[in-house]
Amino acid sequence: MDAAFTEEQHEIRRTLRELLLKRCGPDEVKAAVRTPPGYDTQLWQQLAGRLGLPGLALPTAYGGVGCGPTELALACEETGRVVLPSPLVATAALAAPLLLALGSERQRTTLLPALAAGELTATLAVPGGQLATALALTGPNDGDWAGGGRAGGIQARRVPAEGAAAPSRNGGQAAGGGWRLYGEAGQVLNGHTADVLVVAAHTGGFAQSRTLLFLVRAADAGAARPGAEPGVTGLLRTRQTALDETRPQARLELRDVTAELLGEGDGDAAAVARALAATGVVAAAALAAEAVGAADTALARTVAHVQQRVQFGRPIGSFQAVQHRLADLYVALQAARSAAYYAAWSAGGGPEGDASEPGVGALALAQALEALRAVAAEAVQLHGGIGFTWEHEAHLYFKRAACDELLLGPVHRLRVRAAEEAGLFPDGAGEPGGAPLAGRAPEAVEV
C-alpha cells in the first residue's frame, strides 16, 4: 500500500477546504440548518458544479469525475471539519453506489449524470431504523430487516399491466406492470428533500420472501424546484426533529406509491444484499473520514482555547493533567484517521481492484466515532461554561458524535461485526449468547 496521496487528491482537499472556510463558518451552519431543506442549496450547487463533489466516485461515462472512495472520503473529511449540512453522504455514499451496482443501463444513464451534476439528490430509505443492518455494518443483512411481511416495514406488490393476469395471493409475479410500495421509514437522511428515493422493501409474501430495492422519483432531471416540492401520489415526507440538526432526517409514509424496481428482471435478493454490503463499506469509510475531520477541528479549537484561557495566573494548557488529556485525544484521532484512510483505500479494491478487506469499514467507523465522541466531550468540558451553550460551536461536534453513533452504531456492535467478518469469532463465539471460545470449556471462559 502506498500511503502517500497524489497531487490530485491534495488539490481536492485544498480547494474544498478554502471554499468551506469562506462559506461555512459556525454561524452559516446554524443558519443553514434552520432553512426548510436543512442545508445551503446555493453552496451545494457550487460544490456540485465547481468541484463535482457528488460525482467524485462515479465513472466519467455517467458524468462523474472518475475517482474513487478515497477521494470521496477526503472530501467528507473536509466537510466534517465544518460540520457541513448537505446531501453529500446520502447522495454520493448511499444512493449512487447502489444505482451504479444494480441499476439498468437506462436507469444509470438517466439518473447518475443528474446526481453527479447536482441537478438531483438521492437517498436510501430503510424501514425500522435498520440502516446499519441493511449495510451489513452491525450484522448480516440477509434477514427480514425490511419488514418481513410484518407491520412497521415497507411492502412491495407488483401490479399487472393493463389486460394482464393479476398476481397470485401467495406473492407470485404478475406479467408486466409496475410496483406499488406501502409502509413507512424513519430516520431517512435528507429524505424530505431527496429527488430520488432508493427504497428497500419486502416482497414475495411468505412463499418467496425477499428484500429488493425500488426507485421512487420525486422529481425528474432538470425539473424546476424553486420552492414547491413536486407532488408524488401517496408519498408523505416529514422532516423529523433530530438532536443533530446538521444531519437532516425525515419520516417517509408510502401509501401505494408507484415505484420502479432497481435493476432488470424480477430482482435478485442475493445481489441486493451484496450491493448493500459493498455500499456499506464505502459509506463507513466516508462517514469515518467525516468524523475524523470533525474531531480534528474540535481538538484544534480546544488546544487554542486552553492556551488562551488563564486560571490561577497561568494558561490552563500549561497544566500537566490537561496536556495528558489532549495528548490521549491526539493519539486516538491519528489512529482513527489511519483507519479511515485504509478503509477508503480498501473500499476501492486496493491496487488489484479486489473486494474490500472483511470488516475494515465497520472497524474504521467504530474507531472514528469513538474518537469523535471522546474529543467532543473533552472539548465541551475544557471550554468550561461556554462549551455547552448554543452560541459556541462545541455543541455541534458533540451532537454529531452522538447522532452518528445512534444512526450507524453502537460502536461495540460495529466492532463485533468486524470481528465476525474477519473470522475472529467462529461459530458465534464472542457474541452475547454465542458459542464458547474454541478449545475451552464454557466455565473456563474469562469474562
Side-chain angles (χ1 to χ4, degrees):
M1 173 184 178
D2 184 3
F5 292 119
T6 65
E7 183 57 36
E8 181 183 13
Q9 292 169 336
H10 282 302
E11 186 61 28
I12 291 174
R13 302 177 71 175
R14 283 194 299 265
T15 306
L16 184 54
R17 185 177 301 186
E18 291 173 2
L19 178 60
L20 293 179
L21 285 177
K22 295 177 182 177
R23 295 287 307 276
C24 201
D27 292 335
E28 287 81 3
V29 169
K30 295 171 187 177
V33 298
R34 296 307 177 101
T35 62
Y39 61 92
D40 187 341
T41 55
Q42 293 183 349
L43 177 58
W44 171 248
Q45 289 302 320
Q46 188 174 3
L47 293 173
R50 176 181 169 186
L51 303 179
L53 221 58
L56 272 179
L58 290 177
T60 55
Y62 298 110
V65 179
C67 296
T70 300
E71 288 77 11
L72 179 61
L74 292 177
C76 287
E77 183 179 0
E78 297 306 317
T79 61
R81 291 182 188 277
V82 296
V83 204
L84 175 70
S86 78
L88 177 62
V89 170
T91 299
L94 293 178
L98 292 171
L99 283 165
L100 185 62
L102 298 174
S104 64
E105 187 61 25
R106 177 185 59 82
Q107 292 169 339
R108 293 175 185 173
T109 54
T110 301
L111 296 175
L112 290 180
L115 294 178
E119 298 173 4
L120 297 178
T121 60
T123 190
L124 172 63
V126 176
Q130 298 293 317
L131 179 60
T133 301
L135 298 176
L137 293 175
T138 57
N141 63 352
D142 54 357
D144 291 332
W145 47 266
R150 300 181 295 275
I154 298 179
Q155 310 302 316
R157 64 182 179 88
R158 193 159 190 176
V159 292
E162 188 173 348
S168 62
R169 293 183 178 273
N170 65 358
Q173 300 299 319
W179 293 84
R180 296 292 180 88
L181 304 182
Y182 193 97
E184 58 186 33
Q187 295 179 286
V188 180
L189 294 180
N190 298 98
H192 62 300
T193 58
D195 303 306
V196 179
L197 304 175
V198 180
V199 182
H202 173 267
T203 187
F206 179 79
Q208 299 177 356
S209 176
R210 54 191 177 145
T211 297
L212 300 177
L213 296 179
F214 299 86
L215 292 176
V216 175
R217 305 191 189 188
D220 293 325
R225 41 180 181 144
E229 173 189 317
V232 177
T233 304
L235 175 63
L236 176 62
R237 306 196 283 181
T238 307
R239 182 177 177 180
Q240 292 180 299
T241 300
L243 176 64
D244 178 17
E245 292 181 304
T246 66
R247 190 81 85 189
Q249 300 178 21
R251 180 182 186 84
L252 307 182
E253 297 181 32
L254 303 98
R255 301 292 181 263
D256 278 335
V257 173
T258 301
E260 177 185 357
L261 181 67
L262 181 59
E264 298 177 330
D266 292 330
D268 184 347
V272 168
R274 290 193 299 270
L276 283 168
T279 300
V281 179
V282 175
L287 288 166
E290 192 181 59
V292 166
D296 195 9
T297 299
L299 181 57
R301 293 181 177 177
T302 303
V303 170
H305 176 76
V306 299
Q307 291 175 339
Q308 298 172 359
R309 173 68 185 274
V310 176
Q311 190 74 357
F312 304 109
R314 55 191 292 192
I316 62 175
S318 64
F319 294 112
Q320 193 176 54
V322 174
Q323 294 176 355
H324 286 173
R325 290 162 69 177
L326 293 175
D328 289 341
L329 295 178
Y330 178 79
V331 172
L333 172 60
Q334 295 305 316
R337 174 176 280 117
S338 297
Y341 288 168
Y342 183 78
W345 176 82
S346 179
E352 306 298 332
D354 299 327
S356 62
E357 183 177 335
V360 66
L363 192 59
L365 183 57
Q367 188 83 1
L369 292 179
E370 192 171 59
L372 176 57
R373 181 178 59 189
V375 170
E378 288 286 7
V380 170
Q381 185 173 24
L382 291 176
H383 274 86
I386 64 172
F388 61 86
T389 61
W390 174 251
E391 291 74 18
H392 200 274
E393 64 269 19
H395 72 95
L396 295 174
Y397 300 96
F398 185 82
K399 292 176 180 177
R400 172 62 67 87
C403 286
D404 275 5
E405 188 169 354
L406 289 174
L407 186 67
L408 292 169
V411 166
H412 72 272
R413 290 188 61 188
L414 290 168
R415 286 203 169 102
V416 168
R417 176 58 179 168
E420 290 174 350
E421 289 186 310
L424 298 181
F425 294 149
D427 301 325
E431 296 184 75
L437 298 178
R440 301 177 65 180
E443 62 273 10
V445 177
E446 297 179 1
V447 180

